[in-house]
Amino acid sequence: MTLNDIIVNALMQMDRGHDAQTLDIWRDKLTGFANDAIADLAMTIKPVRTEKAEIDNSCIDCSRLQRECVKVVRVRINGRDMPFYGDDADGSIILLDNTDEEQAEITYRFMPKTLSAATDEPELPVRCHNLIVTYVVARERAAGDVGTQRGGNIYFQLYEAGKLKLRPHIGGADAYRLVNRW
């Protein structure tokens, strides 16, 4: 579902038109609401991605990753998990084992990109897209007059109920395993 689809569906649920002029009027406000929903859903489902990262003096700079890093889950070099700890001062991680390798495979929880263009799609699973629409409608209704605000509460309840049904992870045994690092 694209940003345009999200906005059109939200406008339809609010009994408003979805012609080009109406879309232009509501685009900025509803886009902000959609990005808020994406950030909230990302904290619920905890999406992860894996990519190569440069090692510089046993450190990996997390700001150089393609997406905003929320939490590093795993660092692997040549198929072997490497112990590490985070340096909160500069947002990097430090490998505990010295290595001569120049790259590592890093798996991390990330914050999806914000939507801006009409054709942008949320970097969340498809099962979350309708919840984004529900959240957008809830926020818009909550901003209205007293009679409209009551309708917003229902949409917020639907959104929260939908969030509870989302699984925070999909994976193998290593997604559920507790590892004693000390």
Side-chain angles (χ1 to χ4, degrees):
M1 186 179 287
T2 64
L3 174 60
N4 203 49
D5 295 336
I6 292 169
I7 293 172
V8 167
N9 286 336
L11 289 171
M12 286 177 17
Q13 287 187 26
M14 292 184 288
D15 294 327
R16 296 188 180 139
H18 51 275
D19 57 282
Q21 184 179 3
T22 306
L23 284 173
D24 287 341
I25 293 169
W26 290 99
R27 182 172 310 283
D28 291 340
K29 185 175 187 180
L30 299 185
T31 298
F33 294 159
N35 286 325
D36 290 346
I38 290 169
D40 185 49
L41 289 169
M43 297 309 285
T44 300
I45 65 169
K46 301 173 174 74
V48 296
R49 62 184 287 131
T50 301
E51 63 184 74
K52 297 282 186 185
E54 299 294 322
I55 301 173
D56 182 27
N57 199 18
S58 294
C59 293
I60 298 175
D61 185 3
C62 293
S63 66
R64 298 173 116 186
L65 297 171
Q66 293 178 5
R67 300 289 182 276
E68 179 186 347
C69 179
V70 176
K71 178 182 179 179
V72 175
V73 177
R74 173 187 294 157
V75 177
R76 298 187 99 176
I77 298 176
N78 296 327
R80 185 173 146 245
D81 287 347
M82 300 296 290
F84 63 90
Y85 69 91
D87 184 3
D88 291 334
D90 64 355
S92 63
I93 58 171
I94 300 168
L95 302 176
L96 296 177
D97 292 346
N98 288 333
T99 181
D100 295 331
E101 297 294 326
E102 295 178 4
Q103 279 192 337
E105 184 179 85
I106 184 168
T107 303
Y108 63 100
R109 278 185 34 211
F110 70 97
M111 188 58 62
K113 286 184 178 179
T114 57
L115 304 178
S116 57
T119 57
D120 288 351
E121 292 188 24
E123 294 181 322
L124 294 174
V126 175
R127 66 184 187 272
C128 296
H129 293 188
N130 286 330
L131 286 175
I132 297 170
V133 174
T134 304
Y135 183 84
V136 169
V137 174
R139 285 282 301 270
E140 176 53 32
R141 288 191 183 270
D145 62 8
V146 177
T148 310
Q149 287 176 357
R150 280 183 266 142
N153 290 342
I154 294 168
Y155 280 94
F156 277 124
Q157 289 172 358
L158 289 171
Y159 173 74
E160 292 298 328
K163 259 181 34 174
L164 289 174
K165 293 179 184 176
L166 294 175
R167 289 179 41 198
H169 49 72
I170 297 174
D174 62 340
Y176 308 97
R177 182 177 56 189
L178 295 174
V179 179
N180 185 356
R181 291 178 45 186
W182 308 107

